[in-house]
Amino acid sequence: MASAQVTGSTVDRVRTDPPAGRSGRARDWAEIQERMLVPLYQDVYRRLEVGAATSLLGVGCRSGLALLLAAGRGAQVAGVEADAGLRELAAARGLQVSPGGRAEAVARSAHPVPRPAHSLVTVFEQPPAPALVARSAERTLPGGHLVVAAWGPAERCESAAVLEVARRHAPLDAPDPFAASGPGALESLLAAAGTRPSGSGRVACPFAYAGLDSAVRGLLSTGLFDRAEEAAGAALVAKELAEALHPYLRPDGSVRMANEFRWAVGTKPRG
């Protein structure tokens, strides 16, 4: 992971140079932010007993860490990711991730022929868009499972105060990160996509960073601040984000925020 630049005992310098390009943001995601969601991935895979009999499609798989974890359990994995920079990083991890379409490339699989449908499809994108969930259901085998995930309630997520920076500057039509956090929201998405809600879980996903600089870079790599940057400018958003993170600084200069994520699974009917 990229190291933070620490000055003194509590605060490190936030860079004021122009924001990273798309490739830089992709690398920040892979090196800083992606690991924060490992507890979510592991909880889903454990509860659904992902293993050698699983054919998994990760929709919006980013740089592929979730796919690697599933492959490590013996699953046949495939990925879809729109961002070219993230796909390049997935390729560097030995994964073949496609930009989408009817045939996704299969990575780390004993069956090299792309599958039209899968026994497990995951949508770990935040927040999950109804249209994306519906398209993902089409790629789920009858009797298979579709998983969607979202932030937990804002009052259980310390990062909610930080995400307020994005809400304050983004246009009114920007997605709300907590839109699917309410009771039954994920289950409603699954039902609308034609699956039968059949389970759910809650998992702690603390966001922990080496320092303030890495925290800002990691959070910006999520894409949740993109609309705010377009409207208010990247420099202002980065400055206010750093200020919002100060309450979560620790004496050693690290940053830690407790968060909860929710996930739900739907089963696609047979016949």
Side-chain angles (χ1 to χ4, degrees):
M1 177 184 299
S3 61
Q5 305 170 7
V6 179
T7 61
S9 60
T10 60
V11 182
D12 64 350
R13 296 190 302 270
V14 177
R15 296 178 306 184
T16 57
D17 48 305
R22 294 307 304 170
S23 61
R25 288 283 169 88
R27 187 161 297 280
D28 283 345
W29 170 266
E31 295 181 354
I32 299 174
Q33 190 65 27
E34 191 172 30
R35 65 183 176 82
M36 310 301 176
L37 297 179
V38 165
L40 170 64
Y41 305 150
Q42 291 179 329
D43 192 54
V44 169
Y45 296 161
R46 177 184 59 83
R47 291 275 300 276
L48 296 183
E49 299 182 341
V50 168
T54 306
S55 166
L56 185 151
L57 175 65
V59 176
C61 66
R62 298 209 167 210
S63 51
L65 180 56
L67 295 181
L68 286 177
L69 293 174
R73 300 174 67 97
Q76 305 161 32
V77 298
V80 178
E81 172 55 51
D83 187 277
L86 290 167
R87 291 199 306 274
E88 289 177 5
L89 292 174
R93 288 171 162 173
L95 297 165
Q96 295 177 349
V97 174
S98 82
R102 293 297 300 171
E104 287 79 22
V106 177
R108 297 176 183 251
S109 169
H111 303 280
V113 178
R115 293 170 175 262
H118 301 259
S119 63
L120 173 61
V121 178
T122 59
V123 182
F124 290 128
E125 281 288 315
Q126 306 297 324
L132 181 62
V133 176
R135 291 196 300 271
S136 299
E138 297 175 358
R139 306 308 310 276
T140 307
L141 286 168
H145 296 112
L146 172 62
V147 170
V148 292
W151 291 84
E155 61 270 19
R156 297 181 184 175
C157 297
E158 290 184 330
S159 294
V162 175
L163 294 174
E164 176 65 16
V165 173
R167 189 206 64 78
R168 185 162 61 244
H169 292 295
L172 293 177
D173 62 347
D176 176 6
F178 295 96
S181 301
L186 291 177
E187 289 79 3
S188 295
L189 282 173
L190 291 167
T195 69
R196 176 178 56 82
S198 53
S200 64
R202 296 178 182 271
V203 60
C205 289
F207 284 12
Y209 306 92
L212 193 60
D213 180 70
S214 59
V216 170
R217 289 164 52 205
L219 288 164
L220 289 177
S221 76
T222 64
L224 295 173
F225 295 84
D226 288 359
R227 298 289 300 277
E229 288 184 313
E230 292 169 4
L236 177 61
V237 171
K239 175 180 177 294
E240 292 191 6
L241 179 54
E243 292 170 351
L245 285 165
H246 273 268
Y248 307 104
L249 277 167
R250 297 193 164 198
D252 64 356
S254 65
V255 177
R256 183 180 176 87
M257 295 175 285
N259 295 304
E260 178 182 282
F261 278 74
R262 284 198 63 222
W263 63 269
V265 56
T267 303
K268 189 169 182 176
R270 299 181 184 271

